């Protein structure tokens, strides 16, 4: 959708609410209290309905990212439009200028949109060949980092580890911020395996690098194939290039547009890049995002 199409469709708040209703209530609006379909739009307040059966009043935005916001829905829709159209998203400063809100409001809106991007049921749908890898994002490496730790890939730094799994055939990614466990250990075999098993079916072929925590895979039904990065990056079909290129996009995005991200919000940014990657061929990403903004 380009700007003109967007303007034409969503110039008035009524049109926005009507579009939203068509996405959320595909089978018609029902009362959220008694499920009756005898509901009527409140005059001059189009986002509210009342139920003639149980006299309940409700907002069509209940349980969504828009529910507690006093920002005009035209601004919300335009923010989502801008965010999805920019390949790498937009920053709070850019959004603040575009829709004329405070920086705090713009920043909050973007976090809510990212939350919706991650609002999807995770299923064990990855199969056949998958790649798993980990990377470090955000924060600053320790001082004298190179002296203390020769591992250039960041294991052992103060950055936050993110673990990612890619289904090579369907090109779907699942990525999670993996904070240290109770004993302060990072990226244990157990932690990696639990993230892997959230999305991967049993007995899949799992490609990893030589990182020792992946040795846990030998105790599972998965078939584990390793590439030794100290010697080579691609060994025929055994490589982790897809997940590594996802990391490159994620880091370019985060460092290029957002400059830095605190650990607290890192998962939201990871959700954003997973959503973009997984839905790159979806025709209406906009409507998909509206759908995922519900039940949050
Ligand atoms: Zn009712």
């Amino acid at each position: 959708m380009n700007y003109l199409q967007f303007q034409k469709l969503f110039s008035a708040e009524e049109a926005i609410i009507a579009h939203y209703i068509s996405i959320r209530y595909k089978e018609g609006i029902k009362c959220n209290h008694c499920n009756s379909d005898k509901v009527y739009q409140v005059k001059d307040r189009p986002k509210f309905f009342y139920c003639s059966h149980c006299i309940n009043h409700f907002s069509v935005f209940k349980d969504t990212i828009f529910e507690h916001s006093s920002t005009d829905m035209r601004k919300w829709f335009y923010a989502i439009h801008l965010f999805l159209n920019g390949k790498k998203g937009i920053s709070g400063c850019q959004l603040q200028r575009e829709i004329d809100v405070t920086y705090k409001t713009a920043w909050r809106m973007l976090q809510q949109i990212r939350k919706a991007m991650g609002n999807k049921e995770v299923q064990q749908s990855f199969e056949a060949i998958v790649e798993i890898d980990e990377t470090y994002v955000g924060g600053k490496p320790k001082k004298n980092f190179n002296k203390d730790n020769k591992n250039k890939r960041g294991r052992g730094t103060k950055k936050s580890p993110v673990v990612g799994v890619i289904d090579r055939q369907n090109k779907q990614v699942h990525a999670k911020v993996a904070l240290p466990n109770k004993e302060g250990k990072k990226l244990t075999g157990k932690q990696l395996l639990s993230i892997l098993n959230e999305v991967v079916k049993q007995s899949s072929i799992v490609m990893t690098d030589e990182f020792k925590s992946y040795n846990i895979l030998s105790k599972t039904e998965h078939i584990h194939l390793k590439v030794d990065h100290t010697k080579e990056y691609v060994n025929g079909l055994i490589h982790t290039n897809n997940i590594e290129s996802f990391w490159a996009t994620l880091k370019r995005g985060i460092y290029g547009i957002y400059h830095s991200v605190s650990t607290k919000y890192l998962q939201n940014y990871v959700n954003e890049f997973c959503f973009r990657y997984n839905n790159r061929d979806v025709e209406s990403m906009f409507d998909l995002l509206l759908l995922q903004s519900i039940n949050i």
Side-chain angles (χ1 to χ4, degrees):
M1 191 161 33
N2 64 31
Y3 177 70
L4 287 177
Q5 289 165 320
F6 179 87
Q7 267 300 89
K8 209 173 154 196
L9 270 173
F10 300 127
S11 55
E13 179 134 31
E14 287 75 16
I16 286 172
I17 291 169
H19 183 77
Y20 183 80
I21 289 172
S22 76
I23 299 284
R24 180 170 190 177
Y25 302 93
K26 288 202 169 62
E27 277 134 41
I29 303 185
K30 286 191 177 143
C31 172
N32 66 352
H33 180 68
C34 74
N35 215 30
S36 161
D37 58 3
K38 302 271 179 290
V39 293
Y40 304 92
Q41 204 155 20
V42 177
K43 208 176 159 237
D44 301 328
R45 295 176 77 205
K47 69 175 180 176
F48 290 101
F49 278 71
Y50 74 91
C51 167
S52 66
H53 185 249
C54 75
I55 328 288
N56 173 37
H57 272 72
F58 62 99
S59 159
V60 290
F61 297 118
K62 188 154 176 36
D63 302 324
T64 70
I65 60 170
F66 315 110
E67 182 179 3
H68 301 294
S69 169
S70 56
T71 304
D72 191 311
M73 281 308 292
R74 274 173 297 190
K75 293 189 178 185
W76 265 110
F77 264 41
Y78 192 47
I80 295 171
H81 170 75
L82 288 173
F83 193 67
L84 293 178
N85 264 29
K87 269 208 166 131
K88 294 177 195 156
I90 48 170
S91 68
C93 289
Q94 285 170 287
L95 185 62
Q96 173 191 13
R97 284 194 299 270
E98 290 284 349
I99 64 171
D100 196 20
V101 291
T102 63
Y103 176 74
K104 208 169 155 190
T105 300
W107 188 88
R108 269 201 208 133
M109 288 169 86
L110 293 177
Q111 290 300 343
Q112 291 291 79
I113 295 170
R114 288 190 188 99
K115 229 193 230 175
M117 285 172 146
N119 184 27
K120 191 186 143 210
E121 208 187 318
V122 177
Q123 288 174 332
Q124 284 187 323
S125 58
F126 293 13
E127 57 187 338
I129 301 176
V130 302
E131 299 172 16
I132 178 166
D133 192 30
E134 60 330 295
T135 193
Y136 281 80
V137 184
K140 283 188 182 138
K142 274 187 229 161
K143 266 191 182 169
N144 301 326
F145 164 65
N146 287 329
K147 236 200 252 168
D148 300 342
N149 187 334
K150 290 193 180 100
N151 192 335
K152 286 184 187 132
R153 298 190 57 195
R155 286 166 186 147
T157 73
K158 278 188 175 169
K159 295 180 174 191
S160 304
V162 183
V163 177
V165 187
I166 273 193
D167 177 326
R168 204 182 270 181
Q169 199 186 343
N170 297 324
K171 290 266 159 62
Q172 291 292 299
V173 68
H174 172 65
K176 280 278 219 21
V177 176
L179 295 176
N181 69 12
K182 278 182 203 149
E183 290 98 55
K185 285 188 187 148
K186 280 182 192 168
L187 301 173
T188 59
K190 237 175 152 182
Q191 191 179 36
L192 294 166
L193 190 62
S194 94
I195 294 173
L196 181 82
N197 285 339
E198 281 171 8
V199 285
V200 176
K201 289 186 179 165
Q202 280 305 306
S203 311
S204 295
I205 298 170
V206 182
M207 310 272 180
T208 75
D209 62 17
E210 292 274 287
F211 183 41
K212 62 179 184 335
S213 290
Y214 293 118
N215 292 340
I216 197 170
L217 285 163
S218 64
K219 296 178 193 149
T220 68
E221 283 176 22
H222 297 302
I223 298 157
H224 183 202
L225 299 175
K226 292 189 251 189
V227 58
D228 184 351
H229 281 162
T230 58
K231 295 186 189 124
E232 63 204 341
Y233 269 83
V234 179
N235 173 9
L237 278 174
I238 310 172
H239 61 78
T240 50
N241 290 359
N242 294 290
I243 185 70
E244 280 163 34
S245 89
F246 177 75
W247 294 145
T249 310
L250 175 77
K251 287 182 183 181
R252 256 200 317 274
I254 289 183
Y255 299 137
I257 296 212
Y258 308 121
H259 310 301
S260 69
V261 166
S262 73
T263 305
K264 193 175 165 197
Y265 298 104
L266 182 56
Q267 185 65 52
N268 278 353
Y269 290 85
V270 171
N271 292 346
E272 174 187 342
F273 285 87
C274 288
F275 181 91
R276 289 181 192 280
Y277 184 92
N278 291 339
N279 300 305
R280 66 207 171 278
D281 298 326
V282 170
E283 212 168 282
S284 186
M285 248 201 231
F286 188 90
D287 289 348
L288 179 67
L289 189 97
L290 290 183
L291 209 55
Q292 288 192 198
S293 72
I294 301 161
N295 295 331
I296 212 154

